[in-house]
Each structure stands twice: as structure tokens, then as C-alpha cells.
Coordinates of all heavy atoms in Angstrom, one line a residue:
M270 N 137.0 126.4 45.8 CA 138.0 126.4 46.8 C 139.2 127.4 46.3 O 139.7 127.3 45.1 CB 138.7 125.1 46.8 CG 140.0 125.1 47.7 SD 141.0 123.4 47.6 CE 139.8 122.3 48.2
E271 N 139.5 128.3 47.2 CA 140.6 129.3 46.8 C 142.0 128.8 47.1 O 142.1 128.3 48.2 CB 140.2 130.6 47.5 CG 141.2 131.7 47.1 CD 140.9 133.0 47.7 OE1 139.7 133.3 47.8 OE2 141.7 133.7 48.2
I272 N 142.8 128.9 46.3 CA 144.2 128.5 46.5 C 145.1 129.7 46.6 O 144.9 130.6 45.8 CB 144.7 127.7 45.3 CG1 143.9 126.4 44.9 CG2 146.2 127.2 45.5 CD1 143.9 125.4 46.1
A273 N 145.9 129.9 47.6 CA 146.7 130.9 47.9 C 147.8 131.0 46.8 O 148.4 130.0 46.3 CB 147.4 130.8 49.2
V274 N 148.1 132.2 46.3 CA 149.0 132.4 45.3 C 150.4 132.0 45.8 O 151.2 131.4 45.0 CB 149.1 133.9 44.8 CG1 150.3 134.2 43.9 CG2 147.8 134.3 44.2
D275 N 150.8 132.1 47.0 CA 152.0 131.6 47.6 C 152.2 130.1 47.4 O 153.2 129.7 47.1 CB 152.2 132.0 49.0 CG 152.5 133.5 49.2 OD1 152.9 134.1 48.2 OD2 152.2 133.9 50.4
K276 N 151.1 129.4 47.6 CA 151.1 128.0 47.4 C 151.3 127.5 45.9 O 152.2 126.7 45.6 CB 149.8 127.3 47.8 CG 149.8 125.8 47.8 CD 148.5 125.2 48.3 CE 148.5 123.7 48.2 NZ 147.4 123.1 48.7
I277 N 150.7 128.2 45.1 CA 150.9 128.0 43.6 C 152.3 128.3 43.3 O 153.0 127.5 42.5 CB 150.0 128.9 42.8 CG1 148.5 128.6 43.0 CG2 150.3 128.8 41.3 CD1 147.5 129.5 42.4
K278 N 152.9 129.4 43.7 CA 154.3 129.7 43.4 C 155.3 128.7 44.0 O 156.3 128.4 43.3 CB 154.7 131.2 43.8 CG 153.9 132.2 43.0 CD 154.3 133.6 43.4 CE 153.5 134.7 42.6 NZ 153.8 136.0 43.1
G279 N 155.0 128.3 45.2 CA 155.8 127.3 45.9 C 155.8 126.0 45.1 O 156.8 125.4 44.8
Y280 N 154.7 125.6 44.5 CA 154.5 124.5 43.6 C 155.4 124.7 42.4 O 156.1 123.8 42.0 CB 153.1 124.1 43.3 CG 152.8 122.9 42.6 CD1 153.1 121.6 43.2 CD2 152.3 122.9 41.3 CE1 152.8 120.5 42.4 CE2 152.1 121.8 40.6 CZ 152.2 120.5 41.2 OH 151.9 119.4 40.4
L281 N 155.2 125.8 41.8 CA 156.0 126.1 40.5 C 157.5 126.0 40.8 O 158.2 125.4 40.0 CB 155.5 127.5 40.1 CG 156.3 128.0 38.9 CD1 156.0 127.1 37.7 CD2 155.9 129.4 38.6
L282 N 157.9 126.6 41.9 CA 159.3 126.6 42.2 C 159.9 125.1 42.5 O 161.0 124.8 42.1 CB 159.8 127.5 43.3 CG 159.5 129.0 42.9 CD1 159.7 129.9 44.2 CD2 160.5 129.4 41.8
A283 N 159.0 124.3 43.1 CA 159.4 122.9 43.3 C 159.5 122.2 42.0 O 160.4 121.3 41.9 CB 158.3 122.3 44.2
L284 N 158.6 122.4 41.1 CA 158.7 121.8 39.8 C 160.0 122.3 39.1 O 160.7 121.4 38.4 CB 157.5 122.1 38.9 CG 156.2 121.6 39.3 CD1 155.1 122.2 38.4 CD2 156.2 120.1 39.1
K285 N 160.3 123.5 39.3 CA 161.6 124.1 38.6 C 162.8 123.4 39.2 O 163.6 122.9 38.3 CB 161.6 125.6 38.9 CG 162.9 126.2 38.3 CD 163.0 127.8 38.7 CE 164.2 128.4 38.2 NZ 165.6 127.8 38.6
E286 N 162.8 123.3 40.4 CA 164.0 122.6 41.0 C 164.0 121.1 40.7 O 165.1 120.6 40.4 CB 163.9 122.7 42.6 CG 164.3 124.1 43.0 CD 164.2 124.4 44.5 OE1 164.3 123.3 45.2 OE2 164.1 125.4 44.9
A287 N 162.9 120.3 40.8 CA 162.8 118.9 40.5 C 163.3 118.6 39.1 O 163.9 117.7 38.9 CB 161.4 118.4 40.8
G288 N 162.9 119.5 38.2 CA 163.2 119.2 36.7 C 164.5 119.9 36.3 O 164.9 119.9 35.2
N289 N 165.2 120.6 37.2 CA 166.4 121.3 37.0 C 166.2 122.3 35.8 O 167.1 122.3 34.9 CB 167.5 120.4 36.7 CG 168.9 121.0 37.0 OD1 169.0 122.0 37.7 ND2 169.9 120.5 36.3
F290 N 165.1 123.0 35.7 CA 164.8 123.9 34.7 C 165.4 125.3 35.0 O 165.4 125.7 36.1 CB 163.2 124.1 34.6 CG 162.5 122.9 34.1 CD1 161.7 122.2 35.0 CD2 162.7 122.4 32.8 CE1 161.0 121.1 34.6 CE2 162.0 121.4 32.4 CZ 161.1 120.7 33.2
S291 N 165.9 125.9 34.0 CA 166.4 127.3 34.1 C 165.2 128.3 33.9 O 164.1 127.8 33.3 CB 167.6 127.6 33.1 OG 167.0 127.6 31.8
Y292 N 165.4 129.6 34.2 CA 164.3 130.4 33.7 C 164.0 130.4 32.2 O 162.9 130.6 31.8 CB 164.6 131.9 34.2 CG 164.6 132.0 35.7 CD1 165.5 132.9 36.4 CD2 163.6 131.4 36.5 CE1 165.5 132.9 37.8 CE2 163.6 131.5 37.9 CZ 164.5 132.3 38.5 OH 164.6 132.4 39.9
E293 N 165.1 130.4 31.5 CA 165.0 130.3 30.0 C 164.2 129.1 29.6 O 163.4 129.1 28.7 CB 166.4 130.3 29.4 CG 167.2 131.6 29.6 CD 167.9 131.7 30.9 OE1 168.0 130.8 31.8 OE2 168.4 132.8 31.2
D294 N 164.4 127.9 30.2 CA 163.7 126.7 29.9 C 162.2 126.9 30.2 O 161.4 126.6 29.3 CB 164.1 125.5 30.8 CG 165.6 125.1 30.5 OD1 166.1 125.2 29.4 OD2 166.2 124.5 31.4
M295 N 161.9 127.5 31.3 CA 160.6 127.7 31.6 C 159.9 128.6 30.7 O 158.7 128.4 30.3 CB 160.5 128.4 33.1 CG 161.0 127.4 34.1 SD 161.1 128.2 35.7 CE 159.4 128.6 36.3
A296 N 160.6 129.7 30.3 CA 160.0 130.6 29.2 C 159.8 129.9 27.9 O 158.7 130.1 27.3 CB 160.9 131.8 29.1
N297 N 160.7 129.2 27.5 CA 160.6 128.5 26.2 C 159.5 127.5 26.2 O 158.8 127.3 25.2 CB 161.9 127.8 25.8 CG 163.0 128.8 25.4 OD1 162.7 129.9 24.9 ND2 164.3 128.5 25.7
L298 N 159.4 126.7 27.3 CA 158.4 125.6 27.4 C 157.0 126.2 27.4 O 155.9 125.6 27.0 CB 158.6 124.7 28.6 CG 159.9 123.8 28.4 CD1 160.2 123.2 29.8 CD2 159.7 122.7 27.3
S299 N 156.8 127.3 28.1 CA 155.5 127.9 28.4 C 155.0 129.0 27.4 O 153.8 129.2 27.3 CB 155.4 128.5 29.9 OG 156.3 129.6 29.8
G300 N 156.0 129.5 26.7 CA 155.6 130.6 25.8 C 155.4 132.0 26.5 O 154.9 133.0 26.0
I301 N 155.9 132.0 27.8 CA 155.7 133.2 28.6 C 157.0 134.0 28.6 O 158.1 133.4 28.6 CB 155.4 132.9 30.1 CG1 153.9 132.2 30.1 CG2 155.4 134.1 31.0 CD1 153.6 131.7 31.4
P302 N 157.1 135.3 28.4 CA 158.3 136.0 28.3 C 159.3 135.7 29.4 O 158.8 135.6 30.7 CB 157.9 137.5 28.2 CG 156.5 137.4 27.8 CD 155.9 136.1 28.3
L303 N 160.6 135.6 29.2 CA 161.6 135.4 30.2 C 161.6 136.4 31.3 O 161.6 136.0 32.5 CB 162.9 135.5 29.5 CG 164.2 135.2 30.4 CD1 164.1 133.9 31.2 CD2 165.5 135.3 29.7
S304 N 161.3 137.6 31.0 CA 161.3 138.7 32.0 C 160.1 138.4 33.1 O 160.2 138.5 34.2 CB 161.1 140.1 31.5 OG 160.0 140.2 30.7
T305 N 158.9 137.9 32.5 CA 157.8 137.6 33.3 C 158.1 136.4 34.2 O 157.7 136.4 35.4 CB 156.6 137.3 32.5 OG1 156.3 138.5 31.7 CG2 155.3 137.1 33.2
V306 N 158.7 135.4 33.6 CA 159.1 134.1 34.4 C 160.0 134.7 35.6 O 159.7 134.2 36.7 CB 159.8 133.2 33.5 CG1 160.3 132.0 34.4 CG2 158.8 132.6 32.5
R307 N 161.0 135.4 35.3 CA 161.9 135.8 36.4 C 161.2 136.7 37.4 O 161.4 136.6 38.6 CB 163.0 136.7 35.7 CG 164.1 135.8 35.0 CD 165.2 136.7 34.7 NE 166.4 135.9 34.1 CZ 167.0 136.2 33.0 NH1 166.8 137.4 32.5 NH2 168.0 135.4 32.5
N308 N 160.4 137.6 37.0 CA 159.6 138.3 37.9 C 158.7 137.6 38.8 O 158.5 137.8 40.1 CB 158.8 139.4 37.3 CG 159.7 140.6 36.7 OD1 160.7 140.8 37.1 ND2 159.1 141.3 35.8
I309 N 158.0 136.6 38.3 CA 157.2 135.8 39.1 C 157.9 134.9 40.1 O 157.6 134.8 41.3 CB 156.3 134.7 38.2 CG1 155.3 135.5 37.4 CG2 155.7 133.6 38.9 CD1 154.6 134.7 36.3
C310 N 159.0 134.2 39.7 CA 159.9 133.4 40.5 C 160.5 134.1 41.6 O 160.8 133.7 42.7 CB 160.8 132.6 39.7 SG 160.0 131.3 38.6
S311 N 160.9 135.5 41.3 CA 161.6 136.3 42.3 C 160.7 136.9 43.3 O 161.1 137.5 44.3 CB 162.5 137.3 41.7 OG 161.6 138.3 41.0
G312 N 159.4 136.9 43.0 CA 158.4 137.6 43.8 C 158.2 139.0 43.4 O 157.4 139.7 44.1
K313 N 158.7 139.4 42.5 CA 158.5 140.8 41.9 C 157.0 141.0 41.4 O 156.6 142.2 41.2 CB 159.5 141.3 40.9 CG 160.9 141.5 41.5 CD 161.9 142.0 40.5 CE 163.2 142.1 41.0 NZ 164.3 142.5 40.0
T314 N 156.4 140.0 41.1 CA 155.0 140.0 40.5 C 154.2 139.2 41.5 O 153.8 138.1 41.2 CB 155.0 139.3 39.1 OG1 156.0 140.0 38.3 CG2 153.6 139.6 38.5
P315 N 153.8 139.8 42.6 CA 153.0 139.2 43.6 C 151.6 138.9 43.2 O 150.9 138.0 43.7 CB 153.1 140.1 44.8 CG 153.3 141.4 44.2 CD 154.1 141.2 43.0
D316 N 151.2 139.5 42.1 CA 149.8 139.4 41.6 C 149.6 138.7 40.3 O 148.9 139.1 39.5 CB 149.1 140.7 41.7 CG 149.7 141.7 40.9 OD1 150.9 141.5 40.4 OD2 149.1 142.9 40.6
A317 N 150.6 137.7 40.0 CA 150.6 137.1 38.8 C 149.2 136.4 38.6 O 148.6 135.9 39.4 CB 151.7 136.1 38.7
R318 N 148.8 136.4 37.4 CA 147.4 135.8 37.0 C 147.5 134.3 37.1 O 148.6 133.8 36.7 CB 147.1 136.3 35.6 CG 146.8 137.7 35.4 CD 146.4 138.2 34.1 NE 145.6 137.2 33.4 CZ 145.4 137.2 32.1 NH1 146.1 138.0 31.3 NH2 144.7 136.3 31.5
F319 N 146.4 133.8 37.5 CA 146.3 132.3 37.6 C 146.5 131.6 36.2 O 147.3 130.6 36.2 CB 145.0 131.9 38.1 CG 144.8 130.4 38.2 CD1 145.6 129.7 39.2 CD2 144.2 129.7 37.3 CE1 145.4 128.3 39.3 CE2 144.1 128.2 37.3 CZ 144.7 127.6 38.4
A320 N 146.2 132.3 35.2 CA 146.3 131.7 33.8 C 147.8 131.6 33.5 O 148.3 130.6 32.9 CB 145.7 132.5 32.8
T321 N 148.5 132.6 33.9 CA 150.0 132.6 33.6 C 150.8 131.4 34.5 O 151.6 130.7 34.0 CB 150.7 134.0 33.9 OG1 149.9 135.0 33.2 CG2 152.1 134.0 33.7
L322 N 150.4 131.5 35.7 CA 150.8 130.4 36.6 C 150.6 129.1 36.2 O 151.4 128.2 36.3 CB 150.5 130.7 38.1 CG 151.0 132.0 38.8 CD1 150.2 132.2 40.0 CD2 152.4 132.0 38.9
S323 N 149.3 128.8 35.8 CA 149.0 127.5 35.3 C 149.7 127.1 34.1 O 150.1 125.9 33.9 CB 147.5 127.4 35.2 OG 147.0 128.2 34.2
K324 N 149.9 128.0 33.2 CA 150.7 127.7 31.9 C 152.1 127.2 32.3 O 152.6 126.3 31.8 CB 150.8 128.9 31.0 CG 149.8 129.1 30.1 CD 150.1 130.3 29.2 CE 149.0 130.7 28.2 NZ 149.4 131.8 27.4
L325 N 152.7 127.9 33.2 CA 154.1 127.6 33.7 C 154.0 126.2 34.3 O 154.9 125.4 34.1 CB 154.6 128.6 34.7 CG 155.2 129.9 34.0 CD1 155.3 131.0 35.0 CD2 156.5 129.6 33.4
I326 N 153.1 125.9 35.3 CA 153.0 124.7 35.9 C 152.9 123.5 35.0 O 153.5 122.5 35.0 CB 151.9 124.7 37.0 CG1 152.2 125.6 38.2 CG2 151.5 123.2 37.4 CD1 151.1 125.9 39.1
I327 N 152.0 123.6 34.0 CA 151.6 122.5 33.0 C 152.9 122.4 32.2 O 153.3 121.2 31.8 CB 150.4 122.9 32.2 CG1 149.1 122.9 33.2 CG2 150.2 122.0 31.0 CD1 147.9 123.4 32.6
A328 N 153.5 123.5 31.7 CA 154.7 123.4 30.9 C 155.9 122.6 31.6 O 156.6 121.8 30.9 CB 155.2 124.8 30.5
L329 N 155.9 122.7 32.8 CA 156.9 122.0 33.6 C 156.6 120.6 34.0 O 157.3 120.0 34.7 CB 157.3 122.8 34.9 CG 157.9 124.1 34.6 CD1 158.4 124.8 35.9 CD2 159.1 124.1 33.5
G330 N 155.3 120.1 33.6 CA 155.0 118.8 33.9 C 154.1 118.7 35.3 O 153.7 117.5 35.7
G331 N 153.8 119.8 35.7 CA 152.9 119.8 36.9 C 151.5 119.5 36.6 O 151.0 119.4 35.5
D332 N 150.7 119.2 37.7 CA 149.3 118.9 37.5 C 148.5 119.7 38.5 O 148.7 119.7 39.8 CB 149.1 117.4 38.0 CG 147.7 116.9 37.9 OD1 146.9 117.6 37.7 OD2 147.6 115.7 37.8
L333 N 147.6 120.6 37.9 CA 146.8 121.5 38.7 C 145.9 120.7 39.7 O 145.6 121.3 40.8 CB 146.0 122.4 37.8 CG 146.7 123.3 36.9 CD1 145.9 124.0 36.0 CD2 147.6 124.3 37.7
N334 N 145.5 119.5 39.4 CA 144.7 118.7 40.3 C 145.5 118.3 41.5 O 145.1 118.3 42.7 CB 144.2 117.4 39.7 CG 143.1 117.8 38.5 OD1 142.2 118.4 38.8 ND2 143.2 117.1 37.4
E335 N 146.8 118.0 41.3 CA 147.6 117.7 42.4 C 147.8 118.9 43.3 O 147.8 118.8 44.5 CB 149.1 117.3 41.9 CG 150.0 116.9 42.9 CD 151.4 116.5 42.5 OE1 151.6 116.5 41.2 OE2 152.3 116.4 43.2
L336 N 148.0 120.1 42.7 CA 148.1 121.3 43.5 C 147.0 121.6 44.5 O 147.2 122.0 45.5 CB 148.2 122.5 42.5 CG 148.3 123.9 43.0 CD1 149.5 124.0 43.9 CD2 148.4 124.9 42.0
V337 N 145.8 121.3 44.0 CA 144.6 121.7 44.9 C 144.3 120.4 45.6 O 143.3 120.4 46.5 CB 143.4 122.0 44.1 CG1 143.7 123.4 43.3 CG2 142.9 120.9 43.0
G338 N 144.9 119.2 45.5 CA 144.6 118.1 46.4 C 143.5 117.2 45.8 O 143.0 116.4 46.6
Y339 N 143.3 117.3 44.5 CA 142.2 116.5 44.0 C 142.7 115.1 43.6 O 143.7 115.0 42.8 CB 141.6 117.2 42.8 CG 140.5 116.4 42.0 CD1 139.2 116.3 42.6 CD2 140.8 115.9 40.8 CE1 138.2 115.6 42.0 CE2 139.8 115.1 40.2 CZ 138.5 115.1 40.7 OH 137.6 114.4 40.1
D340 N 142.1 114.0 44.1 CA 142.6 112.7 43.8 C 141.7 112.2 42.5 O 140.5 112.1 42.7 CB 142.3 111.8 45.0 CG 142.8 110.5 44.8 OD1 143.5 110.2 43.7 OD2 142.7 109.6 45.6
K341 N 142.3 112.0 41.5 CA 141.7 111.6 40.2 C 141.3 110.0 40.1 O 141.5 109.4 39.1 CB 142.4 112.0 39.1 CG 142.7 113.4 38.9 CD 143.4 113.7 37.6 CE 144.8 113.4 37.6 NZ 145.5 113.8 36.4
K342 N 140.7 109.5 41.3 CA 140.4 108.0 41.1 C 139.2 107.7 40.5 O 138.3 108.4 40.2 CB 140.3 107.5 42.7 CG 141.6 107.4 43.4 CD 141.3 106.8 44.7 CE 142.7 106.7 45.4 NZ 142.5 106.3 46.8

């Protein structure tokens, strides 16, 4: 199943808002450079790698299974 990058970024931004994380928090928690985090969140990096996006999502407490709609019953 292919997940649209826009959906992944939307999920990431929702996690950012829900946790009241700053870009600096996101960079520190994920180990991804601050400039990369800012570029991804602002849309300047429309082709961000899935590995980078997934690191950010997991660092913010997100769940990739939830993102794709997988029910872990």
C-alpha cells in the first residue's frame, strides 16, 4: 500500500501540534538536523525520504501502523 507523502507530513504536523513540540524538540528527539526538520515541516523538502519521516514520527510518539490504518488486534 502506498501512502502519500502529504498524508505522512500531515500526520507528523498533527503530532507536533498535539505534543506542543518545537522544531528544536523534534530535531533533538529524532536526531535529525534542525534545518532538515524545518524544511520538511515548511514544505521546502517535498521529497523527504520515508526513513527520515518515520524517524520523526516515532520520535514524537506516533505509530506508523496508525498512519496506514493497520489495526493491531
Side-chain angles (χ1 to χ4, degrees):
M270 172 191 300
E271 185 175 320
I272 303 295
V274 174
D275 288 340
K276 181 177 180 179
I277 296 170
K278 288 181 185 176
Y280 183 68
L281 176 62
L282 292 173
L284 290 170
K285 178 187 181 299
E286 289 180 22
N289 199 28
F290 294 108
S291 67
Y292 293 141
E293 291 82 7
D294 295 333
M295 294 171 69
N297 290 332
L298 290 168
S299 67
I301 295 171
L303 177 58
S304 59
T305 301
V306 172
R307 284 188 174 139
N308 287 338
I309 289 170
C310 292
S311 71
K313 290 183 182 177
T314 307
D316 58 348
R318 293 178 38 204
F319 179 77
T321 303
L322 294 170
S323 62
K324 274 186 182 180
L325 283 165
I326 288 169
I327 292 167
L329 299 185
D332 183 343
L333 297 174
N334 289 313
E335 178 184 354
L336 175 64
V337 298
Y339 178 72
D340 188 5
K341 298 187 283 186
K342 287 184 181 176

